[in-house]
Each structure stands twice: as structure tokens, then as C-alpha cells.
Amino acid sequence: MKTLLIALAVFFTINISAQNISGQAFYESKTTMDMDGFGGREMSEDMKKTIADRMKSYLEKTYILTFNNNESIYKEEEKLDTNAGRGGFGMMMSSYTPGAQYKNLETNQLIEENEFFGKEFLVTDEVPQLEWVMSKESKQIGQYVAFKATAVKAVDPNDFSMARPRGPRGGRGDNNAKEEKNDSLTKKESDDPMDNIEVPKEVTVTAWYTPMIPVKNGPGEYAGLPGLILELNAHRTTLLCSKIIMNPKDTDKIEAPTKGKEVTREEYQKIVKEKTDEMRENFRGRGGRGGGRGGRG
């Protein structure tokens, strides 16, 4: 059966690879959050639910990829502001608003609009060249046969969607060490919640692509496989294609965004880091006074 699926996928690829391809792919994005790992062990279940509800607009999104053979534009579907989480992690997330992201696979160009603390930036970069490891494993996603591929991706140190609890993962060390660590984290949270999280240097990305739509494109910055990426998992975030419209009559025009101050990826990361460090110092200053904690340098 698997051999038949592969043969059918190759057949479709040969028949349409020489054609001009255009389409729209709709992706549902969901990010999970380990409330216990983020200091939630001391919270009631009602409090955890309240925080999860406030963070929902950050953790569940819909994106639209409009693509042709070589280009694409990737945008979040517009929704009403739900006035989600304020303060700490929520405040940091709400200060960053991603805009349209343009990819040109022929020129290897990546351009995206970002708004950060009310300032607009036009970030220029190259399309990441991941070293995909393709397997013969396949599955059906809707009407398409999809194949599995994995790669290791370096993580932007300011990408807080990749954040995880700081320190050893569960299962390491004895129970007393865990309790001491949790007590320490709980105390830290009153000063600076950002002390309790870290962004990993790299993560493993798993993608499912279909040669039946032979464009080397996918959601976000992901590309480089011999078919459109229909499903992707990176750390705690999963993107799943819920709908595809091939050769639509009316679509957004695919063109590079132009809004904002033009900066390189490295320059933008430096701007974000400086502002984040400034926020943390201000937060520590307010939380440290009267917090009963001394000896912190």
C-alpha cells in the first residue's frame, strides 16, 4: 500500500511540476504550555484555566500562505483583539506583532514586517537552509499523501514562543532537589518571571510535505522540501494545514512588504534584546523593593 502511495505521489508530481502553480493554504497553529513547568505548581486549577484562557490568542492562531512556484506571502488571519494576558510573559508577547512574511525561493530572500513596542520594522534575511532528512514514512492529510522529514533548527534567542522552564527537565535529580528548585522558582517569580524560562539554542523540526503540490514552500520561514509542507511541529508548536485552494481566482497579490524601518535579522535581534533587558531591569526594580530579597547583583 505504501509503495502505491509513493507511486501516486510521483505521478502527480511529474504531471504538474511543469505547470504554473498557485494556491492558498490555511494553517491552524497551536502551542502548548506546561503550566506546572512555568511555576504553576502553586496555582489552583481555576487560576491555571484563567491564565490559559488569557493566553489563548497567543497560543492558537490561523495563518494563510498564498503561494506560487517560487514566491509566497504568509499572514496571520485577522481576528478581534481578545485583550489577552497582561504582565510578565503575556506583556512581552503582546508587545510583538508579526506582520506579512514574504519568501522568494529563487533569490533566497526573506522579508517580514514586525511591530515591536509600537515601532515598525522591515526585517530582511535569507530563507533558512535546513538540512532536511527525508524518510519513506507517509500518511494521508486530507486528500494528499504526505511524507515525513526532520531537521535541526537554530532558535532565535528572542523567540519566546520556544521558551521552556529553566534548568533540568523533570525526571532528573531526586525529589528533594526538585522541591528545592520549585521553591526557588516560586520565589523568583515575585521578582522577574523571565528568570524562570529559557529559550533553547536549537530544536528538532518535523515536517510532513506532499509532492502532489510540488512547490518547495511551507508555513513561516520553512521551505526546501520537494512539496508543500502540510504539517509541521517545532518544539511545542504544531502547524496543521486545514484547507487548500488551488489556482484561486481571487487572492492577495504576492509582493514583498515595504512597511517599517529596514533592518537585518541581526540588527532586529539586538533591538529586541536591548528592549527586553530594559523591561527586565525595570521589573526587577519595582519587584525588588519591599520584596524582602537581598544580595542580588
Side-chain angles (χ1 to χ4, degrees), residues 41-89:
R41 295 181 188 276
E42 305 298 321
M43 298 180 189
S44 67
E45 291 303 315
D46 286 343
M47 178 62 73
K48 290 179 184 179
K49 185 177 184 303
T50 299
I51 293 175
D53 289 342
R54 288 182 177 178
M55 295 299 294
K56 188 173 181 179
S57 65
Y58 303 123
L59 303 178
E60 296 183 13
K61 296 175 179 289
T62 302
Y63 295 92
I64 303 173
L65 178 74
T66 303
F67 62 89
N68 58 32
N69 295 65
N70 294 313
E71 296 176 284
S72 66
I73 194 83
Y74 185 68
K75 297 179 181 179
E76 182 182 348
E77 185 179 56
E78 292 185 7
K79 294 181 180 179
L80 293 176
D81 184 7
T82 56
N83 197 25
R86 302 186 188 97
F89 183 77

Coordinates of all heavy atoms in Angstrom, one line a residue, residues 41-89:
R41 N 2.8 25.2 39.8 CA 2.5 24.1 40.8 C 1.8 24.7 42.0 O 1.0 24.0 42.7 CB 3.8 23.4 41.2 CG 4.5 22.7 40.1 CD 5.8 22.0 40.6 NE 6.5 21.4 39.6 CZ 6.3 20.2 39.1 NH1 5.3 19.4 39.6 NH2 7.0 19.7 38.1
E42 N 2.0 26.0 42.3 CA 1.4 26.6 43.4 C 0.0 27.2 43.1 O -0.7 27.7 43.9 CB 2.3 27.7 43.9 CG 3.7 27.3 44.3 CD 3.7 26.3 45.4 OE1 2.9 26.4 46.3 OE2 4.5 25.3 45.3
M43 N -0.4 27.1 41.8 CA -1.6 27.7 41.4 C -2.8 26.7 41.5 O -2.6 25.5 41.4 CB -1.6 28.2 39.9 CG -0.6 29.2 39.6 SD -0.6 29.6 37.8 CE 0.8 30.7 37.7
S44 N -4.0 27.3 41.7 CA -5.2 26.4 41.7 C -5.5 26.1 40.3 O -5.0 26.8 39.3 CB -6.3 27.2 42.4 OG -6.7 28.3 41.6
E45 N -6.3 25.1 40.1 CA -6.7 24.7 38.7 C -7.5 25.9 38.1 O -7.4 26.1 36.9 CB -7.6 23.4 38.8 CG -6.8 22.2 39.1 CD -5.6 21.9 38.2 OE1 -5.8 22.1 37.0 OE2 -4.5 21.7 38.7
D46 N -8.3 26.6 38.8 CA -9.1 27.7 38.3 C -8.1 28.8 37.8 O -8.4 29.4 36.8 CB -10.0 28.3 39.4 CG -11.2 27.4 39.6 OD1 -11.5 26.5 38.8 OD2 -11.9 27.6 40.7
M47 N -7.1 29.1 38.6 CA -6.1 30.1 38.2 C -5.4 29.7 36.9 O -5.2 30.5 36.0 CB -5.1 30.3 39.3 CG -4.0 31.3 38.9 SD -4.7 33.0 38.6 CE -5.1 33.5 40.3
K48 N -5.0 28.4 36.8 CA -4.4 27.9 35.6 C -5.3 28.1 34.4 O -4.8 28.4 33.3 CB -4.0 26.4 35.7 CG -2.9 26.1 36.7 CD -2.6 24.6 36.8 CE -1.6 24.3 37.9 NZ -1.3 22.9 38.0
K49 N -6.6 27.7 34.6 CA -7.5 27.9 33.5 C -7.7 29.3 33.0 O -7.8 29.6 31.8 CB -8.9 27.3 33.9 CG -9.9 27.3 32.7 CD -11.2 26.6 33.2 CE -12.2 26.5 32.0 NZ -12.5 27.8 31.4
T50 N -7.7 30.2 34.0 CA -7.8 31.7 33.7 C -6.7 32.2 32.9 O -6.8 32.9 31.9 CB -7.9 32.5 35.0 OG1 -9.1 32.1 35.7 CG2 -8.0 34.0 34.7
I51 N -5.4 31.8 33.3 CA -4.2 32.2 32.6 C -4.2 31.6 31.2 O -3.9 32.2 30.2 CB -3.0 31.8 33.3 CG1 -2.9 32.6 34.6 CG2 -1.7 32.0 32.5 CD1 -1.7 32.2 35.5
A52 N -4.6 30.3 31.1 CA -4.7 29.6 29.7 C -5.6 30.3 28.8 O -5.4 30.5 27.6 CB -5.0 28.2 29.9
D53 N -6.8 30.7 29.4 CA -7.8 31.4 28.5 C -7.3 32.8 28.1 O -7.5 33.2 26.9 CB -9.1 31.7 29.3 CG -9.9 30.4 29.5 OD1 -9.6 29.4 28.8 OD2 -10.7 30.3 30.5
R54 N -6.5 33.5 28.9 CA -6.0 34.8 28.6 C -4.9 34.6 27.5 O -4.7 35.5 26.6 CB -5.4 35.5 29.8 CG -6.4 36.0 30.8 CD -5.8 36.7 31.9 NE -6.8 37.3 32.8 CZ -6.4 37.9 34.0 NH1 -5.2 38.1 34.3 NH2 -7.4 38.4 34.7
M55 N -4.1 33.5 27.6 CA -3.0 33.3 26.6 C -3.5 32.7 25.3 O -2.7 32.5 24.4 CB -2.0 32.4 27.3 CG -1.3 33.1 28.5 SD -0.4 34.6 28.1 CE 0.9 33.9 27.0
K56 N -4.8 32.3 25.2 CA -5.2 31.6 24.1 C -5.0 32.3 22.7 O -4.6 31.7 21.8 CB -6.7 31.3 24.2 CG -7.3 30.3 23.1 CD -8.7 29.9 23.4 CE -9.2 28.9 22.4 NZ -10.6 28.5 22.7
S57 N -5.1 33.6 22.7 CA -5.0 34.3 21.5 C -3.5 34.3 21.0 O -3.2 34.5 19.8 CB -5.4 35.8 21.6 OG -4.6 36.5 22.5
Y58 N -2.6 34.1 21.9 CA -1.2 33.9 21.6 C -0.8 32.5 21.2 O 0.1 32.3 20.4 CB -0.2 34.3 22.7 CG -0.5 35.7 23.2 CD1 -0.8 35.9 24.6 CD2 -0.4 36.8 22.4 CE1 -1.0 37.2 25.0 CE2 -0.6 38.1 22.9 CZ -0.9 38.3 24.2 OH -1.1 39.6 24.7
L59 N -1.5 31.5 21.7 CA -1.2 30.1 21.6 C -2.0 29.4 20.5 O -1.6 28.3 20.0 CB -1.4 29.4 22.9 CG -0.7 29.9 24.1 CD1 -1.0 29.2 25.4 CD2 0.8 29.9 23.9
E60 N -3.1 30.0 20.0 CA -3.9 29.4 18.9 C -4.1 30.5 17.9 O -4.8 31.5 18.1 CB -5.2 28.9 19.5 CG -5.0 27.7 20.5 CD -6.3 27.1 20.9 OE1 -7.4 27.4 20.3 OE2 -6.3 26.4 21.9
K61 N -3.6 30.3 16.7 CA -3.7 31.2 15.6 C -4.0 30.5 14.3 O -3.8 29.3 14.1 CB -2.4 32.1 15.4 CG -2.1 32.9 16.7 CD -0.7 33.6 16.5 CE -0.4 34.5 17.7 NZ -1.2 35.7 17.7
T62 N -4.5 31.3 13.3 CA -4.7 30.8 12.0 C -3.9 31.7 11.0 O -3.9 32.9 11.1 CB -6.2 30.9 11.5 OG1 -7.0 30.1 12.5 CG2 -6.4 30.3 10.1
Y63 N -3.1 31.0 10.1 CA -2.3 31.7 9.1 C -2.7 31.3 7.7 O -3.2 30.2 7.5 CB -0.8 31.3 9.3 CG -0.3 31.8 10.6 CD1 -0.3 31.0 11.8 CD2 0.3 33.1 10.8 CE1 0.3 31.5 13.0 CE2 0.8 33.6 12.0 CZ 0.8 32.7 13.1 OH 1.3 33.2 14.3
I64 N -2.5 32.2 6.8 CA -2.8 31.9 5.4 C -1.5 32.1 4.6 O -0.8 33.1 4.6 CB -3.8 32.9 4.8 CG1 -5.1 32.8 5.7 CG2 -4.1 32.5 3.4 CD1 -6.2 33.8 5.3
L65 N -1.1 31.0 3.8 CA 0.0 31.1 2.9 C -0.5 31.2 1.5 O -1.1 30.2 1.0 CB 0.9 29.8 3.1 CG 2.1 29.7 2.2 CD1 3.2 30.7 2.6 CD2 2.6 28.3 2.1
T66 N -0.2 32.3 0.8 CA -0.5 32.4 -0.6 C 0.7 32.2 -1.4 O 1.8 32.9 -1.1 CB -1.1 33.8 -0.8 OG1 -2.2 34.1 0.0 CG2 -1.5 34.0 -2.3
F67 N 0.7 31.3 -2.3 CA 2.0 30.8 -2.9 C 1.8 30.6 -4.4 O 0.7 30.4 -5.0 CB 2.5 29.5 -2.3 CG 1.5 28.4 -2.4 CD1 1.6 27.5 -3.5 CD2 0.6 28.1 -1.5 CE1 0.7 26.4 -3.7 CE2 -0.3 27.0 -1.6 CZ -0.2 26.2 -2.7
N68 N 3.0 30.7 -5.1 CA 3.1 30.2 -6.5 C 4.4 29.4 -6.6 O 4.9 28.9 -5.5 CB 3.1 31.4 -7.5 CG 4.2 32.4 -7.2 OD1 5.3 32.0 -6.8 ND2 3.9 33.6 -7.5
N69 N 4.9 29.2 -7.8 CA 6.1 28.3 -7.9 C 7.3 28.7 -7.1 O 7.9 27.9 -6.5 CB 6.5 28.2 -9.4 CG 5.4 27.6 -10.2 OD1 4.3 28.1 -10.4 ND2 5.8 26.4 -10.8
N70 N 7.5 30.0 -7.0 CA 8.8 30.5 -6.4 C 8.5 31.5 -5.2 O 9.5 31.7 -4.5 CB 9.7 31.2 -7.4 CG 10.2 30.2 -8.5 OD1 10.6 29.1 -8.1 ND2 10.1 30.6 -9.7
E71 N 7.4 32.0 -5.1 CA 7.1 33.1 -4.1 C 6.0 32.7 -3.2 O 5.1 31.9 -3.5 CB 6.8 34.4 -4.8 CG 8.0 35.0 -5.6 CD 7.5 36.3 -6.3 OE1 6.8 36.2 -7.3 OE2 7.9 37.4 -5.8
S72 N 5.9 33.4 -2.0 CA 4.8 33.3 -1.1 C 4.7 34.5 -0.2 O 5.7 35.2 0.0 CB 5.0 32.0 -0.3 OG 6.1 32.1 0.6
I73 N 3.5 34.7 0.3 CA 3.3 35.7 1.4 C 2.5 34.9 2.5 O 1.5 34.2 2.2 CB 2.5 36.9 0.8 CG1 2.5 38.1 1.8 CG2 1.1 36.6 0.4 CD1 3.8 38.9 1.7
Y74 N 2.9 35.1 3.7 CA 2.4 34.4 4.8 C 1.9 35.4 5.9 O 2.6 36.2 6.3 CB 3.5 33.5 5.4 CG 3.1 32.6 6.6 CD1 2.3 31.5 6.3 CD2 3.6 32.8 7.8 CE1 1.9 30.6 7.3 CE2 3.3 31.9 8.9 CZ 2.4 30.8 8.6 OH 2.1 29.9 9.6
K75 N 0.6 35.3 6.2 CA 0.0 36.3 7.1 C -0.9 35.6 8.1 O -1.5 34.6 7.8 CB -0.9 37.3 6.3 CG -0.2 38.1 5.3 CD -1.2 39.1 4.6 CE -0.5 39.9 3.5 NZ -1.5 40.8 2.8
E76 N -1.0 36.2 9.3 CA -2.0 35.8 10.3 C -3.4 36.2 9.9 O -3.5 37.4 9.4 CB -1.6 36.3 11.6 CG -2.6 35.8 12.7 CD -2.2 36.4 14.1 OE1 -1.1 36.9 14.3 OE2 -3.1 36.2 15.0
E77 N -4.3 35.3 10.0 CA -5.7 35.7 9.7 C -6.2 36.7 10.8 O -6.0 36.5 12.0 CB -6.6 34.5 9.7 CG -8.0 34.7 9.3 CD -8.9 33.5 9.4 OE1 -8.9 32.8 10.4 OE2 -9.4 33.1 8.3
E78 N -6.8 37.8 10.3 CA -7.2 38.9 11.2 C -8.3 38.4 12.1 O -9.3 37.8 11.7 CB -7.6 40.1 10.4 CG -6.4 40.8 9.7 CD -6.8 42.1 9.0 OE1 -7.9 42.5 9.3 OE2 -6.0 42.6 8.3
K79 N -8.1 38.7 13.4 CA -9.2 38.4 14.4 C -9.3 39.6 15.3 O -8.4 40.4 15.5 CB -8.8 37.1 15.2 CG -8.8 35.9 14.4 CD -8.5 34.7 15.3 CE -8.4 33.4 14.4 NZ -8.1 32.2 15.3
L80 N -10.5 39.7 16.0 CA -10.7 40.7 17.0 C -9.7 40.5 18.2 O -9.4 39.4 18.6 CB -12.1 40.7 17.5 CG -13.2 41.1 16.5 CD1 -14.6 41.0 17.1 CD2 -13.0 42.5 16.0
D81 N -9.2 41.7 18.7 CA -8.3 41.6 19.9 C -9.1 41.1 21.1 O -10.1 41.7 21.5 CB -7.8 43.0 20.2 CG -6.8 43.0 21.3 OD1 -6.4 42.0 21.8 OD2 -6.3 44.2 21.7
T82 N -8.6 40.1 21.7 CA -9.3 39.5 22.9 C -8.7 40.0 24.2 O -9.1 39.6 25.3 CB -9.1 38.0 22.9 OG1 -7.7 37.6 22.8 CG2 -9.8 37.3 21.7
N83 N -7.8 41.0 24.1 CA -7.3 41.7 25.3 C -6.6 40.6 26.2 O -6.9 40.5 27.4 CB -8.3 42.4 26.0 CG -7.7 43.4 27.0 OD1 -6.6 43.9 26.8 ND2 -8.5 43.8 28.1
A84 N -5.8 39.8 25.6 CA -5.2 38.7 26.3 C -4.1 39.1 27.3 O -3.8 40.3 27.4 CB -4.6 37.7 25.4
G85 N -3.6 38.1 28.1 CA -2.7 38.3 29.2 C -1.9 39.5 29.3 O -1.2 39.9 28.4
R86 N -1.9 40.2 30.4 CA -1.1 41.3 30.7 C -0.1 41.0 31.7 O -0.3 40.2 32.6 CB -2.0 42.5 31.2 CG -3.1 42.9 30.3 CD -3.8 44.1 30.9 NE -5.0 44.5 30.2 CZ -6.2 44.1 30.6 NH1 -6.3 43.4 31.7 NH2 -7.3 44.5 30.0
G87 N 1.1 41.7 31.6 CA 2.1 41.5 32.6 C 3.0 40.2 32.3 O 2.5 39.3 31.7
G88 N 4.2 40.3 32.8 CA 5.1 39.1 32.6 C 5.2 38.7 31.2 O 5.4 39.4 30.2
F89 N 5.1 37.4 31.0 CA 5.2 36.7 29.7 C 4.1 37.3 28.7 O 4.4 37.6 27.6 CB 5.0 35.2 29.9 CG 5.2 34.4 28.6 CD1 6.4 34.2 28.1 CD2 4.1 33.9 27.9 CE1 6.6 33.5 26.9 CE2 4.3 33.2 26.7 CZ 5.5 33.0 26.3

